[in-house]
Amino acid sequence: MTAADSRLLKPALYRVAGTEAAPDRPALLGAACACGYVFFPLQTYGCERCGSRDIQPRALSGSGRLLASARVHRHAGKTRQAPFTVVAVALDDGPIVRTLAVEDEAALAVGQRMRSLLAPVVDPDGAPCFDLRFAREA
Ligand SMILES: [Zn+2]
């Protein structure tokens, strides 16, 4: 089963297809305001910078730089298995996203290039699907 023929856990937030700038990785579904502000995720309440409702959906490249990471060794939630790593990634298209990193033996370093990918997960009902993660750029 591949991501292309399977179900996405959060299809309102990302898609299998990439952007023109990064076609080989899933795009994040954000938006851009007429004032130039780019944000994620898409919402239609108004621009977070100027308040305008002149907002257009925009697919954002799944490429960016690592701003910070935190390894979580214990989690209070019963549905999330620890350990896992939370990362803040500054996307090349502007927004900063906080997401999960693919588990990797190598240490993450602030400033390193990161890329999006779809990882196999299980939804709350136990069905297999794919969810967005970030990993170190190869
Ligand atoms: Zn704006």
Side-chain angles (χ1 to χ4, degrees):
M1 184 167 58
T2 67
D5 61 14
S6 185
R7 202 163 60 83
L8 299 177
L9 185 62
K10 300 168 188 160
L13 297 180
Y14 48 83
R15 68 181 191 199
V16 174
T19 62
E20 193 171 310
D24 63 332
R25 56 199 66 178
L28 287 76
L29 303 179
C33 175
C35 76
Y37 186 69
V38 178
F39 55 92
F40 173 86
L42 170 64
Q43 50 79 13
T44 56
Y45 301 110
C47 175
E48 298 160 17
R49 182 165 74 185
C50 75
S52 169
R53 296 189 69 161
D54 188 2
I55 291 169
Q56 297 298 318
R58 179 179 290 181
L60 306 175
S61 159
S63 299
R65 288 198 180 279
L66 182 68
L67 293 179
S69 67
R71 182 93 170 139
V72 177
H73 295 277
R74 295 186 70 185
H75 190 266
K78 296 189 183 347
T79 59
R80 189 175 298 281
Q81 189 89 25
F84 57 90
T85 302
V86 179
V87 291
V89 176
L91 299 178
D92 290 347
D93 289 326
I96 295 169
V97 296
R98 189 177 307 140
T99 183
L100 295 174
V102 169
E103 293 304 315
D104 186 335
E105 294 303 314
L108 293 170
V110 169
Q112 74 183 114
R113 297 291 302 165
M114 301 289 285
R115 62 160 296 163
S116 63
L117 56 85
L118 292 170
V121 297
V122 177
D123 76 11
D125 296 325
C129 59
F130 287 85
D131 196 15
L132 192 74
R133 296 288 187 272
F134 271 75
R136 297 179 305 123
E137 190 80 59

